[in-house]
């Protein structure tokens, strides 16, 4: 059995590293080929994962780069097609919900190649989000759907996808956390930055709706208010710093983007995390760290049910409520991770594909 794994962005590497390892063990290294579309193309965003996660170097680099949604999708289809024609795989695996995901699923399907979608069935029910369209497209094209949370079963059933196409295997991003836990806990990234473990708010904001308009200034105002009682660490993309026009907010330490292990180290030592990232909502649920999501919706309601994640809405003023919300949680037991978020999801995927 020959498998092509198509990766495009930073979260894709985290999700796919354990799957690639498990399938290399199951079917052999030569039967697994890796395509890096280059949707995230700088080292800090993607190549570092080849070092930190032990993923083999990609067999094919498409160099898609940045651009509009249409441009990225078109480039992936155009550049992936000759690769798939040459490789002749039995299966193409696509993870997540980025443009590379939908484009690779479309490309493989047009060539008559079966597709497996990792992280199927997540829905925000907000079709203004490009990620929502990508999820729906990939799910309806795919022959095999790997589910990481139980609400995905109901979501897919509502769209007519049931039965043997779906397998509830768990969360492969948690496999990566389990594999790296000793390493990232030994990083002591908070100490290196002069932060007190358990005594800071970690911030990661990247969606254009937040960082490319007036909401960013409002978020920084609210973070300054939080910083008066709880120090704030904010690894910020250069574009975000540029949007702030050189502003140095009081109580908020703006630092350069950091590697995955250092970020996990900060996450594990934070008092709480403020984010608009889906992956961070999952990581904090496994780590038992309170998470506050600055979005109107989430495709990961399992993290809210788990008791670790609070949806603030797309309302920067609510950031100022975080210290009080944290105080209200004191003394409460740390919630357990959701079902099958146990570090063995990739094993289950390998077993499903061995049978298939």
């Amino acid at each position: 059995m020959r498998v092509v794994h198509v990766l495009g962005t930073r979260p894709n590497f985290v999700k796919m590293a354990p799957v690639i390892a498990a399938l290399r063990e199951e079917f052999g290294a030569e039967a697994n080929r890796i395509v890096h579309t280059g949707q995230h193309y700088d080292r800090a965003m993607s190549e570092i994962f080849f070092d930190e996660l032990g993923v083999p170097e990609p067999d094919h680099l498409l160099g898609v780069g940045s651009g509009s949604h249409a441009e990225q999708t078109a480039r992936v289809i155009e550049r992936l097609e000759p690769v798939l024609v040459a490789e002749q795989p039995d299966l193409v695996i696509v993870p997540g919900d980025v443009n590379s995901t939908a484009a690779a699923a479309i490309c493989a399907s047009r060539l008559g190649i079966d597709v497996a979608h990792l992280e199927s069935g997540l829905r925000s029910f907000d079709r203004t989000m490009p990620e929502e369209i990508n999820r729906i497209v990939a799910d309806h094209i795919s022959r095999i759907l790997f589910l990481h949370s139980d609400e995905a079963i109901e979501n897919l059933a509502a769209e007519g996808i049931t039965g043997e196409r779906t397998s509830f295997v768990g969360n492969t991003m948690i496999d990566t956390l389990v594999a790296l836990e000793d390493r990232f806990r030994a990083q002591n990234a908070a100490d290196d930055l002069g932060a007190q473990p358990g005594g800071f708010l970690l911030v990661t904001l990247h969606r254009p709706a937040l960082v490319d308009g007036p909401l960013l200034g409002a978020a920084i105002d609210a973070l300054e208010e939080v910083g008066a009682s709880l120090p704030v660490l904010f690894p910020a993309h250069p574009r975000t710093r540029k949007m702030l026009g050189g502003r140095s907010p009081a109580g908020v330490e703006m630092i350069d983007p950091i590697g995955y292990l250092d970020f996990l180290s900060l996450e594990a030592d934070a008092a709480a995390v403020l984010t608009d990232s889906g992956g961070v909502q999952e990581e904090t649920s496994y780590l038992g760290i309170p998470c506050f999501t600055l979005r109107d919706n989430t495709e990961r309601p399992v993290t809210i049910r788990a008791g670790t994640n609070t949806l603030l809405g797309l309302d920067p003023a609510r950031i100022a409520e975080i210290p009080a919300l944290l105080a209200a949680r004191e003394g409460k037991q740390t919630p357990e991770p959701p079902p099958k978020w146990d570090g063995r999801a990739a094993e289950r995927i390998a077993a499903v594909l061995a049978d298939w």
Side-chain angles (χ1 to χ4, degrees):
M1 178 165 162
R2 290 179 59 79
V3 180
V4 167
H5 309 267
V6 181
L7 315 177
T9 65
R10 176 173 177 152
N12 288 173
F13 292 96
V14 182
K15 295 166 189 173
M16 285 299 294
V19 177
I20 293 169
L23 295 189
R24 281 165 63 89
E25 184 173 343
E26 183 69 38
F27 300 118
E30 287 303 311
N32 288 267
R33 312 294 279 179
I34 301 171
V35 177
H36 180 4
T37 70
Q39 184 175 330
H40 284 173
Y41 53 92
D42 64 85
R43 180 167 178 78
M45 294 295 280
S46 60
E47 289 182 10
I48 197 167
F49 288 94
F50 300 124
D51 300 329
E52 293 187 349
L53 297 180
V55 179
E57 290 287 336
D59 301 287
H60 302 278
L61 295 166
L62 303 188
V64 166
S66 59
S68 71
H69 296 295
E71 288 169 336
Q72 284 187 331
T73 302
R75 286 186 203 131
V76 172
I77 294 173
E78 179 184 28
R79 299 178 190 186
L80 180 61
E81 183 178 52
V83 171
L84 296 183
V85 169
E87 291 287 358
Q88 290 292 301
D90 301 294
L91 185 70
V92 170
I93 301 181
V94 297
D97 54 20
V98 297
N99 292 334
S100 295
T101 304
I106 291 169
C107 183
S109 179
R110 291 282 176 85
L111 293 171
I113 302 168
D114 286 329
V115 179
H117 184 204
L118 182 68
E119 205 177 68
S120 290
L122 299 188
R123 296 291 183 269
S124 67
F125 304 101
D126 178 2
R127 293 203 179 191
T128 66
M129 297 177 64
E131 296 90 345
E132 184 78 350
I133 304 302
N134 291 337
R135 293 179 201 116
I136 293 169
V137 168
D139 282 343
H140 283 265
I141 285 175
S142 295
R143 172 80 175 272
I144 301 171
L145 291 85
F146 292 122
L147 284 53
H148 91 331
S149 53
D150 49 11
E151 76 263 9
I153 300 170
E154 183 178 336
N155 292 342
L156 292 171
E159 297 174 12
I161 301 174
T162 58
E164 62 183 20
R165 286 176 64 192
T166 64
S167 296
F168 179 19
V169 294
N171 190 341
T172 61
M173 180 177 281
I174 304 308
D175 289 21
T176 296
L177 260 68
V178 170
L180 295 178
E181 190 157 8
D182 288 344
R183 290 176 62 190
F184 72 71
R185 290 194 183 277
Q187 291 286 104
N188 297 318
D191 287 340
D192 293 342
L193 292 168
Q196 179 68 35
F200 62 92
L201 174 68
L202 178 64
V203 177
T204 169
L205 302 173
H206 72 284
R207 293 183 185 273
L210 270 171
V211 300
D212 290 350
L215 291 181
L216 178 61
I220 295 298
D221 290 342
L223 286 172
E224 282 192 315
E225 190 172 339
V226 171
S229 58
L230 180 66
V232 176
L233 276 180
F234 188 174
H237 191 276
R239 187 182 77 253
T240 303
R241 289 177 180 266
K242 182 179 178 181
M243 292 295 293
L244 289 173
R247 179 178 174 184
S248 299
V252 180
E253 185 174 356
M254 309 281 285
I255 61 174
D256 291 334
I258 56 177
Y260 184 57
L261 291 177
D262 281 336
F263 185 80
L264 289 178
S265 176
L266 290 179
E267 236 180 343
D269 280 342
V273 178
L274 173 69
T275 191
D276 58 0
S277 161
V280 171
Q281 294 173 54
E282 296 179 356
E283 291 163 357
T284 49
S285 284
Y286 174 76
L287 295 169
I289 301 297
C291 179
F292 299 93
T293 300
L294 200 61
R295 286 171 49 183
D296 284 330
N297 50 55
T298 178
E299 65 283 352
R300 293 164 170 83
V302 64
T303 62
I304 295 174
R305 295 201 309 273
T308 52
N309 189 16
T310 301
L311 203 62
L312 296 179
L314 192 58
D315 181 5
R318 291 205 63 199
I319 295 171
E321 300 174 22
I322 289 176
L325 292 171
L326 281 177
R329 299 172 66 103
E330 287 184 8
K332 293 185 178 180
Q333 187 173 359
T334 302
E336 291 293 320
K340 297 189 179 180
W341 292 25
D342 57 3
R344 300 183 59 191
E347 289 179 32
R348 299 183 189 104
I349 288 171
V352 169
L353 292 182
D355 289 343
W356 182 74

